Amino acid sequence: MSDFGDLKSALSGRLIEPQDSEYERARRVWNGIIDRRPAAIARCATVGDVIACIETAWAGRLTVAIRGGGHNIAGNAVCDGGLVIDLSPMKQIVVDPPATGVYVNYLGGEGDRRVRDAYGPNLARLSEIKRRYDPENFFRMNQNIQPAAPENLTEARVPLLRADS
């Protein structure tokens, strides 16, 4: 078992270990048949928390499970003996009017218009990337960006890489 002292002090979120009272509830997933016991569950509050978890897992050669909502029927959101990186506390939208931008983490069922508004002029470029690398729209959860139809977006009009990105 790993020592998670450094990770615990680095997190702005909460690290839950087997001796903690909320461990039993935190390790459960939607599919009640799944009964896995991770060494720790990191309830991440920031991107920095996620980075700290990845670095800890890498250094300790730990198995990692990423938990969004815990509804995958196969129970992939939890692992035995490893580190669960729980992203569920990070569901948020931050609107920054002075920067004329929106931070998108989870839009729920707010629809295509909200996705278009959130990504703005970058949506065409992201759609082209999606068309090229995920034409079947396999990765379609959360803020789904539809694959662009080839006749609507050309590489000349929508470069995949820009000098300012």
Side-chain angles (χ1 to χ4, degrees):
M1 183 165 293
S2 295
D3 176 20
F4 293 104
D6 289 342
L7 179 59
K8 188 177 261 190
S9 62
L11 289 178
S12 55
R14 174 127 169 74
L15 187 73
I16 302 169
E17 296 178 89
Q19 67 270 18
D20 295 328
S21 61
E22 64 267 40
Y23 176 80
E24 287 300 318
R25 185 180 40 158
R27 73 179 185 87
R28 297 277 178 216
V29 291
W30 170 80
N31 183 350
I33 296 172
I34 306 301
D35 186 25
R36 298 186 184 132
R37 298 182 172 276
I41 301 162
R43 296 199 40 126
C44 297
T46 66
V47 172
D49 287 355
V50 176
I51 292 169
C53 288
I54 297 295
E55 289 173 345
T56 298
W58 180 264
R61 302 178 73 74
L62 295 170
T63 299
V64 171
I66 307 296
R67 181 179 182 146
H71 289 91
N72 179 278
I73 193 142
N76 295 332
V78 68
C79 58
D80 278 321
L83 178 62
V84 172
I85 301 175
D86 186 352
L87 305 176
S88 60
M90 296 177 66
K91 293 179 183 174
Q92 63 181 340
I93 299 173
V94 178
V95 178
D96 186 359
T100 64
V102 176
Y103 170 77
V104 178
N105 191 356
Y106 181 74
L107 288 176
E110 296 174 21
D112 291 340
R113 180 167 185 226
R114 186 66 181 120
V115 171
R116 283 193 309 275
D117 291 345
Y119 289 112
N122 292 317
L123 183 59
R125 184 170 61 98
L126 294 170
S127 292
E128 174 59 18
I129 292 168
K130 182 81 175 237
R131 181 196 63 78
R132 183 174 289 174
Y133 296 104
D134 186 20
E136 302 299 318
N137 203 23
F138 179 79
F139 297 103
R140 63 183 171 275
M141 303 306 292
N142 293 346
Q143 303 75 245
N144 186 30
I145 296 172
Q146 295 291 326
E151 62 275 4
N152 294 336
L153 296 170
T154 65
E155 288 185 39
R157 288 180 26 213
V158 185
L160 291 180
L161 298 174
R162 299 183 319 197
D164 61 343
S165 52

